[in-house]
Amino acid sequence: MIKKILVAVAGRGLCEEMLNMLLDIPSFQQAAVTVLHVVPPQVSSDTMSEKLEEGGKILAEAVKSIHLDSKQITPQLKQGDPKDIVCQVADQEDAGLIIMGSRGLGRIQSILENSVSQYVFQLTSRPMLLVKDDTYVKKLRKIMVAVDGSDSSKQCLQLAISFAKDLPGAQLVLVHINKDLSGKSSEDFSMNAEKDPILAPAIEEAKRMGISYRCVSGIGKPGPELCRVAEEVNADLLMLGSPDRRPNVAKSFIDLDRLLGSSLSDYVRVYAGCPVLLTRTTSA
């Protein structure tokens, strides 16, 4: 159960909307929520004062819009580099989930334009729920889970099940994409998805919990295929296990190889048309 949530707000209202949708899940209604707005360094003290005043208003509006008892919400207005401050506050509050907005920038743009969400994702080991600026936030009914048999995938499935079991009308969409990075193959085997050995344990768990489910199985490039399926099934939330493969000593450095490489989570965060929850597992 997620007991502490950090919501980084920027005045657009999407993260607050996403949290309100999560509050349909009974366990989330007991969570302690930290609402954070960060004001970056400014060229003058006068400008900083203006931005802090504006930030205070953004925080007040965010708190007002969240459908929780105000006693469960702690607003924080901070000054500094947003990507560093978000990570610091997440650690200080021991957040079980970070909710952030995202401009959906590609890898090179993320570096050139100093993407806060991308850097936080690189530096934190905590689950992140990313809501792109152009995303329409909907009530959670269809929760899509990428299944591949890995430990991170199994943990992601357990979190998805914890969401769906108490959510009226919820359906899990269990998706397994056999990897073909050549791009030459792209087939849908969903008619026989129930027989997919990778999906079988997930199906069994959904049945055991009495959760409605649907299976999709195919072959192709995992990133594009997952985004395609999410759009096809009209997913309200896409959940993906994303192991943290970076050693602790490298936490203070941005991993350019993964920013520029073929990270599945990076692709999905940019191109998925629905909110994306990236669960994290830390490996040695």
Side-chain angles (χ1 to χ4, degrees), residues 85-157:
I85 298 297
V86 171
C87 292
Q88 290 170 14
V89 173
D91 288 343
Q92 289 167 3
E93 300 296 327
D94 194 22
L97 177 66
I98 301 171
I99 302 178
M100 290 189 68
S102 168
R103 290 174 289 166
L105 299 177
R107 297 179 186 92
I108 294 177
Q109 278 183 297
S110 293
I111 297 171
L112 297 178
E113 299 191 28
N114 202 24
S115 167
V116 176
S117 62
Q118 177 60 41
Y119 278 71
V120 171
F121 176 64
Q122 288 288 313
L123 297 177
T124 187
S125 60
R126 301 175 187 278
M128 287 186 66
L129 203 171
L130 297 173
V131 188
K132 284 197 301 184
D133 288 352
D134 59 354
T135 297
Y136 176 61
V137 178
K138 300 178 292 182
K139 280 189 171 294
L140 296 184
R141 293 297 178 265
K142 292 183 180 179
I143 301 174
M144 176 174 153
V145 187
V147 180
D148 62 15
S150 66
D151 287 342
S152 60
S153 168
K154 292 173 184 176
Q155 290 187 27
C156 182
L157 175 65

Side-chain angles (χ1 to χ4, degrees), residues 27-252:
S27 60
F28 274 82
Q29 296 167 14
Q30 309 304 314
V33 176
T34 298
V35 182
L36 172 68
H37 179 73
V38 184
V39 178
Q42 302 297 315
V43 294
S44 70
S45 58
D46 287 344
T47 306
M48 177 58 79
S49 295
E50 291 175 6
K51 290 295 183 181
L52 287 172
E53 184 178 352
E54 181 183 320
K57 293 177 181 177
I58 289 172
L59 273 180
E61 286 298 318
V63 170
K64 185 178 178 182
S65 68
I66 294 172
H67 303 159
L68 272 177
D69 188 321
S70 60
K71 294 177 182 177
Q72 294 172 250
I73 304 173
T74 303
Q76 290 197 28
L77 182 62
K78 298 278 189 178
Q79 302 177 45
D81 187 328
K83 61 180 179 288
D84 293 333
I85 298 297
V86 171
C87 292
Q88 290 170 14
V89 173
D91 288 343
Q92 289 167 3
E93 300 296 327
D94 194 22
L97 177 66
I98 301 171
I99 302 178
M100 290 189 68
S102 168
R103 290 174 289 166
L105 299 177
R107 297 179 186 92
I108 294 177
Q109 278 183 297
S110 293
I111 297 171
L112 297 178
E113 299 191 28
N114 202 24
S115 167
V116 176
S117 62
Q118 177 60 41
Y119 278 71
V120 171
F121 176 64
Q122 288 288 313
L123 297 177
T124 187
S125 60
R126 301 175 187 278
M128 287 186 66
L129 203 171
L130 297 173
V131 188
K132 284 197 301 184
D133 288 352
D134 59 354
T135 297
Y136 176 61
V137 178
K138 300 178 292 182
K139 280 189 171 294
L140 296 184
R141 293 297 178 265
K142 292 183 180 179
I143 301 174
M144 176 174 153
V145 187
V147 180
D148 62 15
S150 66
D151 287 342
S152 60
S153 168
K154 292 173 184 176
Q155 290 187 27
C156 182
L157 175 65
Q158 290 305 311
L159 185 60
I161 285 173
S162 74
F163 289 1
K165 67 182 179 67
D166 295 322
L167 191 60
Q171 180 186 58
L172 287 179
V173 182
L174 307 171
V175 183
H176 175 224
I177 304 298
N178 288 282
K179 187 184 296 184
D180 179 9
L181 296 179
S182 71
K184 295 179 181 179
S185 298
S186 180
E187 297 183 51
D188 188 339
F189 305 133
S190 298
M191 292 291 290
N192 296 308
E194 294 263 355
K195 299 178 182 178
D196 186 327
I198 297 296
L199 289 178
I203 293 169
E204 186 62 31
E205 186 69 7
K207 286 180 177 179
R208 188 177 71 82
M209 300 299 295
I211 299 170
S212 172
Y213 69 91
R214 172 181 175 181
C215 296
V216 178
S217 182
I219 186 170
K221 289 185 176 181
E225 286 300 300
L226 287 173
C227 292
R228 178 190 63 78
V229 172
E231 182 175 0
E232 209 169 74
V233 303
N234 196 24
D236 303 318
L237 178 65
L238 194 167
M239 297 181 62
L240 177 70
S242 181
D244 177 6
R245 300 183 179 89
R246 301 178 63 214
N248 289 334
V249 71
K251 286 297 182 184
S252 59

